[in-house]
Amino acid sequence: MKDKDNSLKKIKENDLLFKTDDEIKTFDPEAEKKTILENTHISKIINRLKLTKEQINQGMNHFQKYYNYLQTHNNKEPNWKITLNEANQIDIDLSNDLQFKKSKYFDNFWLTNITPLDDDLEKYFSIPDLKKPRNILVEANQAILKFPKLLNQAIIDITYDSKNKKGILLIDDEFIHAKKIFKYLATLFGTNKNKTVSIIDLNDLNNFFYANMKTQNYINNDIINYLNDVDYLFLNRLGVGLKSEWFINTLINILLTREANNKITFISCPIDIFISKFNLINHYNDSINNSAIDKVEDLLKATIKRTTNKFVAKKS
């Protein structure tokens, strides 16, 4: 007689840990297997997947887990599913499990070590049963009213038109309105659309670069690559504090790379960089050097103008 399937042995061994002496004497693994496979929910899975006897025997540990869940949840099916993997073997698909989905969505939010997510989003991702904060949508809708009506259409175009590759530049001297809109969009793209997003405060990025100047390879190969590759990049507070020419050049290269790869970038700024005379880069007394710096600033502005649509918040 052939040895019983290893998975059945595991079932038997696990069950023995929780059974009394009398139950151990009467436990019949074949009867247990028959009970599991005759369960209405499990028999439907077997028929749907058209499983062979060999596949069933090999996957009995998964059927046991499924059956145990049914027994402890009043015959309610779990969020996860039994399926066939690429090797044509029985496996568990966790894609519908709430905790698993939240974990996957959280992975879509890149570089949170530079600019952390707001507390309400952190809490949402860390507590499986917690619903998405409704205030994100409510506050974004209120913030949009501070801008021209065309902003709403631009957001719709970006969200639903795959051919649209132009981002958004929000001029908001209070910052808070632009931040609420970007937070909503990042949450929408990172969860509903299952795309990668990164919300970066440019002062945080600047400080991060300079704190890690001794590890240039780490910055260049990892952080800049992440900024280049993320599906949707949100850059907040451009123009707050003067930056080095190196930082602005790095920012230009990121924007140009994203433009070449048809990736959308969102930027917020306190004043209109196209019409206001203010510096983005530290200037020096050397007039020749200042002339070169002016050209770098002009290139940044031209790149932003070409890759975004500008919207200016109404004065309060």
Side-chain angles (χ1 to χ4, degrees):
M1 187 175 180
K2 293 183 179 178
D3 290 338
K4 293 184 176 65
D5 180 78
N6 287 335
S7 59
L8 287 177
K9 288 182 180 179
K10 290 179 182 178
I11 294 170
K12 182 177 179 180
E13 291 167 1
N14 290 337
D15 283 351
L16 293 180
L17 296 174
F18 302 100
K19 292 183 180 293
T20 65
D21 289 342
D22 289 339
E23 288 174 321
I24 290 173
K25 292 176 184 177
T26 59
F27 178 75
D28 183 346
E30 290 301 327
E32 178 80 353
K33 176 182 176 181
K34 186 173 184 292
T35 300
I36 292 171
L37 297 180
E38 288 180 351
N39 177 271
T40 304
H41 295 291
I42 292 176
S43 63
K44 285 182 179 178
I45 294 171
I46 292 171
N47 291 332
R48 174 172 58 82
L49 297 177
K50 299 179 180 178
L51 300 177
T52 65
K53 187 175 181 179
E54 182 181 1
Q55 287 173 318
I56 292 171
N57 286 334
Q58 290 176 345
M60 274 308 298
N61 58 321
H62 294 315
F63 286 125
Q64 176 78 64
K65 181 177 180 180
Y66 201 94
Y67 179 78
N68 289 345
Y69 186 96
L70 294 170
Q71 296 303 300
T72 56
H73 291 80
N74 198 26
N75 214 36
K76 179 184 176 183
E77 293 184 282
N79 288 325
W80 48 270
K81 297 179 180 179
I82 290 180
T83 185
L84 287 175
N85 59 27
E86 293 181 357
N88 213 30
Q89 296 176 335
I90 292 176
D91 206 344
I92 289 179
D93 176 10
L94 293 170
S95 60
N96 284 328
D97 181 76
L98 190 57
Q99 185 171 2
F100 177 81
K101 288 174 75 172
K102 278 196 174 185
S103 175
K104 295 293 288 183
Y105 290 155
F106 183 66
D107 288 343
N108 285 336
F109 287 76
W110 292 6
L111 300 179
T112 56
N113 60 315
I114 296 178
T115 300
L117 294 178
D118 287 351
D119 289 343
D120 54 350
L121 274 178
E122 286 279 5
K123 189 175 180 181
Y124 165 70
F125 286 121
S126 62
I127 302 176
D129 295 333
L130 191 64
K131 293 183 178 180
K132 194 180 298 179
R134 180 167 173 75
N135 67 291
I136 295 177
L137 172 61
V138 173
E139 291 178 357
N141 282 335
Q142 294 171 344
I144 287 175
L145 297 177
K146 298 289 184 178
F147 291 87
K149 292 181 178 179
L150 286 176
L151 173 58
N152 192 54
Q153 185 58 50
I155 290 174
I156 292 173
D157 290 343
I158 291 173
T159 305
Y160 297 104
D161 183 3
S162 60
K163 295 180 180 179
N164 183 81
K165 299 303 176 185
K166 259 200 163 184
I168 290 175
L169 170 67
L170 295 184
I171 310 299
D172 177 15
D173 58 5
E174 296 181 19
F175 283 119
I176 189 65
H177 308 303
K179 182 179 179 180
K180 288 177 178 178
I181 293 170
F182 286 176
K183 179 180 178 180
Y184 162 73
L185 289 174
T187 305
L188 174 69
F189 295 140
T191 57
N192 296 47
K193 300 291 185 181
N194 198 26
K195 298 292 185 179
T196 56
V197 299
S198 185
I199 310 172
I200 297 294
D201 184 302
L202 284 169
N203 282 343
D204 292 341
L205 183 63
N206 184 63
N207 293 337
F208 181 89
F209 278 157
Y210 280 94
N212 293 277
M213 279 303 249
K214 292 182 180 180
T215 53
Q216 278 285 352
N217 287 335
Y218 168 67
I219 292 176
N220 290 334
N221 295 335
D222 287 345
I223 301 303
I224 293 177
N225 284 341
Y226 278 126
L227 294 168
N228 287 337
D229 295 340
V230 69
D231 292 324
Y232 295 97
L233 177 61
F234 297 83
L235 300 175
N236 282 318
R237 303 209 304 164
L238 173 67
V240 177
L242 295 174
K243 303 295 187 294
S244 70
E245 184 179 357
W246 175 86
F247 180 83
I248 296 300
N249 269 317
T250 300
L251 183 58
I252 291 170
N253 288 332
I254 290 168
L255 295 176
L256 290 174
T257 300
R258 293 183 60 78
E259 180 185 21
N261 293 326
N262 293 318
K263 291 184 178 293
I264 296 177
T265 305
F266 301 81
I267 302 172
S268 71
C269 190
I271 52 179
D272 192 335
I273 59 174
F274 303 128
I275 62 175
S276 302
K277 292 184 178 180
F278 78 107
N279 296 327
L280 295 169
I281 303 176
N282 280 317
H283 281 57
Y284 304 94
N285 293 328
D286 189 331
S287 60
I288 297 177
N289 190 45
N290 284 344
S291 176
I293 287 175
D294 287 340
K295 291 181 179 179
V296 173
E297 288 189 352
D298 288 343
L299 178 57
L300 175 63
K301 294 175 183 179
T303 304
I304 293 174
K305 189 172 186 178
R306 187 175 62 251
T307 58
T308 64
N309 290 313
K310 180 183 76 174
F311 300 92
V312 182
K314 305 169 189 174
K315 296 293 182 181
S316 301

